[in-house]
Amino acid sequence: MTHGTLRVSALTKIFNKGSTTVTALENVDIDIAEGEFVSIVGSSGCGKSTLLNILAGLERQSSGQVLVNGRPIAGPGPDRAMVFQSDASFPWLTVKDNLEYGLKVQGRSQAERERVVGELLPLLGLDQFAHAYPRELSGGMRKRIDIGRAYAVEPEILLMDEPFGALDVVTREHMQDELLRTWSARRSTVVFITHDIDEAIMLSDRIVMLSPRPGRVREVVDVPFARPRTPELRETADFYKLRTDLRRMMGEATR
Ligand SMILES: Nc1ncnc2c1ncn2[C@@H]1O[C@H](COP(=O)(O)OP(=O)(O)OP(=O)(O)O)[C@@H](O)[C@H]1O
């Protein structure tokens, strides 16, 4: 039995609007293993969000196959949780109540909810803020609520669509380090969309680079750095070299 595997085969997505047809993705093949952290990079409009929405079950492919744990996706499911770029926490609920929300929807007992939230609050560095409202927190802390809400329902697969795109560079790097810490503790499979090559290198086991529209798999790059990764990795010559290589590939991909 496999948990948290994704298999995308010959995936094509065509949008039809009136007389216009847009091929967003064409013949995409990606295999993602249990517990793997994979980033999808590519220029604006190459179909990254479309791919993630199909994996989430929010959008249907035009052709090809998408399997989660060996079964075709029939729609959104509790095995997958999504984190978006914009804040998704409920402003009228405290941090603790935000984290509990999905568990209540799932009908989990109060004892179970207390257990999960009790584990998550310190993991997210939010234990001092359990009774605060999102508006009382910084952008980075609000992002941690979103990640916590996704993790609370204990999904096998976390789908993240540029979750740190709206944060300043210092907060963003801090959040990357925090996400790595949380992910190491939970080991879910992650599919992470980003424009940012440094972010993709820092976080991922593998980077899938899509070509400009229609999105096709242009390169798949293994990230060779050992885990746990620390912020100092960003300063090393090996990191710099991989970043330069990926930027060159990205430049070639957009030509
Ligand atoms: N619902 C839709 N109807 C019609 N066209 C769409 C729809 N959603 C996406 N597209 C088109 O599909 C293509 C891929 O869009 P998508 O948002 O997946 O790209 P992206 O790589 O995520 O872009 P960005 O990095 O700018 O967010 C674009 O040309 C977009 O206009």
Side-chain angles (χ1 to χ4, degrees):
M1 176 78 175
T2 48
H3 292 283
T5 62
L6 280 165
R7 169 161 285 191
V8 175
S9 322
L11 177 73
T12 293
K13 175 67 186 179
I14 299 168
F15 289 107
N16 293 304
K17 214 170 189 184
S19 57
T20 19
T21 297
V22 174
T23 304
L25 295 165
E26 192 170 75
N27 219 6
V28 170
D29 292 316
I30 306 173
D31 260 351
I32 301 180
E34 176 180 354
E36 198 178 14
F37 198 124
V38 173
S39 287
I40 313 283
V41 300
S43 55
S44 185
C46 72
K48 301 183 294 296
S49 296
T50 302
L51 175 61
L52 209 68
N53 288 337
I54 292 172
L55 297 179
L58 301 172
E59 196 90 71
R60 288 284 300 171
Q61 67 267 38
S62 306
S63 61
Q65 199 180 40
V66 187
L67 302 178
V68 175
N69 297 329
R71 286 188 301 275
I73 290 179
D79 48 2
R80 285 153 289 145
M82 189 111 161
V83 180
F84 297 95
Q85 180 172 341
S86 50
D87 283 349
S89 52
F90 295 131
W92 60 90
L93 295 180
T94 63
V95 170
K96 179 172 177 289
D97 290 343
N98 262 291
L99 295 177
E100 271 194 56
Y101 182 82
L103 299 167
K104 279 192 181 159
V105 171
Q106 287 184 341
R108 308 267 282 269
S109 70
Q110 188 175 351
E112 180 71 355
R113 299 197 309 258
E114 296 283 337
R115 179 191 65 77
V116 173
V117 173
E119 278 174 22
L120 274 174
L121 283 168
L123 192 60
L124 299 163
L126 289 172
D127 37 349
Q128 305 297 312
F129 300 93
H131 303 292
Y133 287 89
R135 65 173 176 276
E136 299 169 310
L137 304 177
S138 68
M141 291 161 98
R142 284 199 300 274
K143 202 76 250 165
R144 279 186 246 160
I145 306 177
D146 290 347
I147 293 170
R149 280 175 40 137
Y151 266 119
V153 293
E154 298 176 337
E156 293 170 1
I157 300 170
L158 205 54
L159 304 170
M160 307 183 92
D161 195 353
E162 293 205 56
F164 308 144
L167 302 175
D168 65 83
V169 70
V170 175
T171 312
R172 187 181 181 123
E173 290 189 357
H174 185 61
M175 287 307 301
Q176 291 164 8
D177 299 336
E178 303 249 317
L179 174 62
L180 282 181
R181 221 169 28 79
T182 313
W183 175 74
S184 308
R186 293 298 175 107
R187 281 293 168 162
S188 51
T189 306
V190 179
V191 186
F192 190 99
I193 303 271
T194 181
H195 277 106
D196 182 336
I197 297 276
D198 286 23
E199 181 166 79
I201 299 174
M202 191 65 195
L203 297 175
S204 319
D205 296 313
R206 266 191 311 151
I207 300 174
V208 176
M209 186 176 291
L210 297 182
S211 64
R213 203 176 67 222
R216 302 189 187 105
V217 176
R218 159 77 204 223
E219 299 275 352
V220 180
V221 176
D222 287 319
V223 180
F225 305 123
R227 299 184 187 272
R229 295 180 188 161
T230 58
E232 293 72 40
L233 175 62
R234 296 189 185 89
E235 318 297 328
T236 62
D238 287 345
F239 187 96
Y240 185 80
K241 170 151 191 338
L242 184 56
R243 172 213 279 160
T244 309
D245 289 350
L246 283 163
R247 286 197 177 160
R248 184 180 37 74
M249 284 178 208
M250 188 98 132
E252 285 169 5
T254 51
R255 258 182 251 139

